Amino acid sequence: MNSRAGTTYEFGAFRCDPDRQALYRNQEKCPIPQKALDLLVLLLEHSPETVSKASLMTALWPDTFVVESNLTQTMYLLRKVLGENDQGTNFIVTVPLRGYKFVGDLKKIRVQHSPNSPATPAGLTVHSRSSPVSIAVLPFQCPGPEPLDESFGI
């Protein structure tokens, strides 16, 4: 995601740090699917504007054909993480026939991440989704002179 570098967003009990790809609730990291976090960041960056469904789909799934139900499911997951329901606080509203809009009280905070400080807590490794993933598929062969095993078909 091309978020505004160094900007952290606070709303309700939540803090979203796009640079660290993290959402915190009351200082504790929330488990959130990556696409749901990306969707949240897009809505926060454009708040208080309405973001069209087409714009969101293009930003979330570039160069990929997806149907609107993908966006609907991702929005459902995001709302579930935020704890939204019919009786509770709603941070995101659906604008009929247009898109979605972040409506919560939002505080944008500029932060300076030290170049020497890791973007994640010590001991954790972050794998970027933009990094290529490799897998090797090797033929199955018996490594030595052991007898062949009929259950493996060799």
Side-chain angles (χ1 to χ4, degrees), residues 51-148:
V51 185
S52 73
K53 292 178 183 181
S55 296
L56 291 170
M57 290 171 57
T58 300
L60 292 170
W61 294 279
D63 304 320
T64 305
F65 176 78
V66 294
V67 292
E68 193 174 311
S69 63
N70 293 79
L71 179 59
T72 304
Q73 178 64 23
T74 304
M75 181 59 71
Y76 167 79
L77 294 172
L78 174 57
R79 286 178 164 155
K80 187 174 177 182
V81 169
L82 296 177
E84 294 191 359
N85 57 42
D86 292 335
Q87 289 100 21
T89 303
N90 291 323
F91 295 108
I92 300 167
V93 296
T94 302
V95 180
L97 303 176
R98 294 200 48 220
Y100 297 97
K101 179 178 183 176
F102 185 86
V103 294
D105 290 330
L106 181 63
K107 219 186 314 182
K108 296 179 183 181
I109 302 168
R110 298 284 300 160
V111 292
Q112 290 285 30
H113 294 295
S114 167
N116 296 330
S117 70
T120 58
L124 294 181
T125 304
V126 175
H127 299 281
S128 171
R129 289 190 178 262
S130 62
S131 300
V133 177
S134 299
I135 185 168
V137 179
L138 303 174
F140 185 80
Q141 296 177 350
C142 288
E146 292 88 28
L148 299 177

Side-chain angles (χ1 to χ4, degrees), residues 26-37:
N26 297 322
Q27 308 302 321
E28 294 204 19
K29 192 170 183 178
C30 295
I32 182 171
Q34 185 63 47
K35 287 291 183 198
L37 180 63

